[in-house]
Amino acid sequence: MNRLSGIRACVFDAYGTIFDFASAAARCPELPEDKRAALTSTWRDKQLQYTWLRSLQGRYADFWQVTGDALDFALDSLGLLEPGLRARLMDLYLNLTAFPEVPATLRALRDAGMVTAILSNGTPTMLEAAVRSAGLNDLFDAVLSAHAVQVFKTDSRVYSYGLRQLGLGADQVCFLSSNAWDAFGAKAFGMRVVWCNRYGQRPERLPGRPDHEIRCLDQLPALLQPAG
């Protein structure tokens, strides 16, 4: 195994990587259990599609609106139009559960002298709420939102913004995402990338194959050789 050398910062995608987006539907008692998986899948798929389409069209709307629009589509598609359900799910999205290994992994990275950060499509308000709800406030040096550049990943302006805010070069950053499209996009941009393939996906047929693939974030520290 070739460890990644010269890394000064680990930068994480938020949704699906740090926070479990499925936890919103899973924790919603008003949502029938037999509809939760379908709701989560449709909501997430449409959310991502809307970010890509809006970026291509140059019609930016922040991630909170995109998330709400995607939920509206999912609820309508599944015939789930009960009063109050949308508001409940949107509130739960602000308070997603972190994956179990996240706190210990972040502590291990910080103990090794790494800078830790989030770089996400989420709005600042969404990210602040999620980090606070998960009790991770003291484990990130920076929480960065694509909202600052008014476009979504995988547009290079988002990755460039993250590097500027951290004051680091692309080769000094290890970018982590469970989303294959994001991992491949960050690698094509020039970052060092570890794909946390939580869901057993097949590799994308896209430029920018990640440096490493893991199944859980607790496998990350062993891959890194901190900068001297």
Side-chain angles (χ1 to χ4, degrees):
M1 179 181 68
N2 295 321
R3 299 175 74 194
L4 298 179
S5 62
I7 300 298
R8 295 187 178 276
C10 289
V11 177
F12 297 83
D13 169 60
Y15 301 109
T17 306
I18 297 293
F19 305 110
D20 183 2
F21 54 77
S23 66
R27 294 160 58 209
C28 184
E30 298 91 341
L31 184 63
E33 287 191 26
D34 63 345
K35 296 291 183 75
R36 291 178 184 178
L39 185 282
T40 294
S41 178
T42 305
W43 187 4
R44 178 62 170 171
D45 288 349
K46 193 57 63 171
Q47 180 193 50
L48 295 177
Q49 290 170 21
Y50 287 169
T51 63
W52 300 327
L53 291 169
R54 282 187 172 277
S55 292
L56 287 168
Q57 294 171 353
R59 295 184 174 184
Y60 178 80
D62 71 33
F63 199 63
W64 183 247
Q65 179 179 327
V66 168
T67 300
D69 289 344
L71 178 57
D72 289 338
F73 178 92
L75 292 172
D76 189 21
S77 296
L78 296 170
L80 297 168
L81 302 177
E82 290 79 1
L85 182 57
R86 181 192 194 275
R88 175 65 172 150
L89 287 165
M90 290 295 285
D91 181 66
L92 286 166
Y93 206 89
L94 291 174
N95 299 278
L96 295 174
T97 301
F99 288 101
E101 80 282 6
V102 166
T105 299
L106 293 172
R107 291 190 191 99
L109 294 171
R110 291 170 69 85
D111 288 346
M114 295 283 181
V115 171
T116 55
I118 284 175
L119 178 62
S120 169
N121 284 334
T123 67
T125 298
M126 293 173 73
L127 295 172
E128 289 165 11
V131 169
R132 182 176 60 253
S133 176
L136 303 177
N137 303 66
D138 298 329
L139 297 178
F140 287 109
D141 297 291
V143 177
L144 307 174
S145 169
H147 185 64
V149 290
Q150 304 280 285
V151 72
F152 296 112
K153 295 185 288 184
T154 61
D155 191 289
S156 63
R157 286 170 287 181
V158 181
Y159 303 121
S160 293
Y161 166 72
L163 295 180
R164 289 198 306 273
Q165 293 301 300
L166 296 173
L168 295 172
D171 62 341
Q172 297 174 300
V173 170
C174 179
F175 183 78
L176 277 294
S177 183
S178 67
N179 299 293
W181 54 269
D182 193 13
F184 279 68
K187 182 60 182 179
F189 172 78
M191 290 183 182
R192 319 284 283 284
V193 174
V194 175
W195 176 25
C196 184
N197 188 6
R198 293 188 182 278
Y199 310 107
Q201 298 168 278
R202 305 308 302 162
E204 298 289 356
R205 273 57 174 179
L206 290 170
R209 192 176 184 90
D211 296 276
H212 288 286
E213 178 181 337
I214 58 178
R215 290 300 296 267
C216 189
L217 288 179
D218 59 9
Q219 297 173 273
L220 172 64
L223 294 177
L224 304 179
Q225 182 176 321

